[in-house]
Amino acid sequence: MAPPSKDLMKNIAHTLIAIIITYTFLIPLQSAEAVLWEDHFDQEAEKDWQHKGNDSVWTVEDGFLKTEIRAQEQWSVIFDRYQFIAYPGPYNDFTITLETVGATRARFGIALAKHFHDPVTKIDEHGYYLFFTNDIYPSRDGDVFIEPGQRWNTDELQQMELHFKDGRFQLNADGESRIDFTDANFDHIDTIAFVLAGFVTEDVKVGTAWVDTFTIDGLAVSPIRKLATTWASLKQEQP
């Protein structure tokens, strides 16, 4: 039997896309499914992460995400992020787990942010909570002063777990509860990112950090999004 022609394969692909489009409009918009997403950092994934900032480099090496401070200026505050973009926000009721995470001469962890808009002043800004391996800081539009001391003497952790739901933040480290608080202003989270922070003096290349695995459980993914992903994949495979 002769293999199907390119025209036949193209017609089949178009038919499948049409079915997907039709099925999409038949699905209730309210329905969503909580899914788990993880990254073992086996390879670079530009579609999943985006670097925000100019004072660091981020690489994937030997199964780890690694970052190093490369400050543009001496005597400056470092606040660089590696933002999760695989599934855009907003986010609620999720748990982030980091495996084998640590830093030397820097603060490293997870930044959760919400966008705020003042209708009177027309000012837009982001409020952050920064959960490091050894401390926690609030931040407004990335303004943060890293003090010499630290809340916990743990630059490295085997596991760091952060849960958020309806304004409640719960942080666990190596199986122990570290902090549990609620901020009613944070009814959801708009952005999730790794954060590298610190203060450099004359040496602009001081500070490194690493993490082995990132897992987020509880992502709300609608059936429409799943079908859209399938549709995009089919379009790319068309001859």
Side-chain angles (χ1 to χ4, degrees), residues 25 35 48 55 67 78 81 108-109 116 120 127 131 134 138 152 162 172 195 216 221:
F25 286 100
V35 300
D48 298 332
D55 293 309
T67 180
I78 306 301
R81 285 139 294 139
F108 183 65
F116 293 92
V120 178
F131 298 89
N134 54 18
W152 305 292
L162 177 59
N172 297 310
V195 57
I216 180 167
V221 181

Side-chain angles (χ1 to χ4, degrees), residues 81-169:
R81 285 139 294 139
Y82 200 62
Q83 186 173 320
F84 178 65
I85 60 172
Y87 287 85
Y91 312 95
N92 193 19
D93 194 8
F94 60 86
T95 300
I96 294 172
T97 304
L98 307 182
E99 304 284 350
T100 313
V101 54
T104 58
R105 303 183 70 181
R107 302 293 175 95
F108 183 65
I110 291 292
L112 301 183
K114 182 185 175 183
H115 172 257
F116 293 92
H117 174 74
D118 189 325
V120 178
T121 62
K122 307 297 183 182
I123 294 177
D124 291 282
E125 61 183 14
H126 284 84
Y128 288 88
Y129 278 110
L130 311 176
F131 298 89
F132 300 116
T133 58
N134 54 18
D135 217 329
I136 174 176
Y137 280 81
S139 174
R140 185 173 178 177
D141 274 344
D143 292 333
V144 58
F145 176 73
I146 303 299
E147 299 178 359
Q150 56 192 42
R151 191 182 304 250
W152 305 292
N153 188 29
T154 51
D155 293 334
E156 301 180 34
L157 293 170
Q158 290 300 309
Q159 185 182 80
M160 177 176 169
E161 184 180 87
L162 177 59
H163 180 68
F164 173 86
K165 182 179 181 181
D166 299 331
R168 184 181 181 185
F169 299 83

